[in-house]
Amino acid sequence: MVFARLGRRPRLAALAAAAVLVLTPAVAGCSDDGQGRYDGTETSAPSTGADEPDDPAAARAEITENWTAFFDPKTPAAERVKLLENGERMQEVLGAFGGDKNAAMTSAKVTGVEFTSATEADVTYDLLVGGAPVLPDAQGTSVLQNDTWKVTVKTLCGLVQLSGVTVPGC
């Protein structure tokens, strides 16, 4: 379990759990074909036809940008709604944590993007609190919805469940 590593540091574990709830990221789990890994240095991945969008490099850049913005505490709630799959329906979940003081210390760094189709991608990211990773190599997904790559509801709800909290909508 992700929080098992934090067991020796209960304050950090509690902060990590709060951070997860504050940011409520969302990305649905998908299978992976092992193609198109993004390591932050390459500009494009090998083309695999229907397993990737038409412009994989541009899609990776948008996914990275949108995930970073979604987890950025300075991003307004209205913008986060636009970066979350079915965000309009998830406003209550997003709003439930928007006022938490720990949100100002939490961010995410995308470390990998692997396309599973032309409209879905697995995303590997580090959840950071105060710049330190508290959930390294976390897994989520991104989906292309209304011409925008978004964090999925499945990812959001998975993180909420990890925290042990029940939230309407998840």
Side-chain angles (χ1 to χ4, degrees):
M1 176 160 247
V2 178
F3 289 112
R5 293 183 217 156
L6 301 174
R8 294 172 296 228
R9 297 184 219 146
R11 293 181 97 194
L12 188 55
L15 185 56
V20 168
L21 292 175
V22 168
L23 294 177
T24 59
V27 179
C30 299
S31 64
D32 175 18
D33 66 1
Q35 301 279 329
R37 181 102 178 141
Y38 175 65
D39 68 5
T41 59
E42 64 186 358
T43 57
S44 65
S47 177
T48 60
D51 292 342
E52 305 188 318
D54 290 338
D55 187 346
R60 277 187 194 87
E62 183 179 343
I63 290 167
T64 300
E65 179 180 331
N66 291 352
W67 271 66
T68 301
F70 184 81
F71 284 97
D72 185 339
K74 295 176 185 136
T75 300
E79 187 62 27
R80 284 190 183 164
V81 166
K82 295 176 186 177
L83 299 174
L84 177 62
E85 175 190 26
N86 301 323
E88 292 295 323
R89 291 187 281 191
M90 299 300 291
Q91 285 186 22
E92 183 177 344
V93 175
L94 289 170
F97 308 106
D100 190 288
K101 65 181 179 178
N102 292 316
M105 298 175 15
T106 307
S107 60
K109 178 183 178 188
V110 173
T111 59
V113 174
E114 295 183 39
F115 294 104
T116 58
S117 76
T119 59
E120 297 177 336
D122 290 338
V123 179
T124 303
Y125 64 102
D126 296 337
L127 188 65
L128 311 170
V129 174
V134 293
L135 288 176
D137 298 321
Q139 298 293 310
T141 53
S142 189
V143 63
L144 184 62
Q145 184 179 61
N146 300 324
D147 295 323
T148 300
W149 284 97
K150 300 181 179 188
V151 174
T152 63
V153 169
K154 185 174 181 181
T155 298
L156 167 64
C157 291
L159 288 171
V160 171
Q161 287 177 342
L162 265 179
S163 72
V165 174
T166 302
V167 177
C170 281

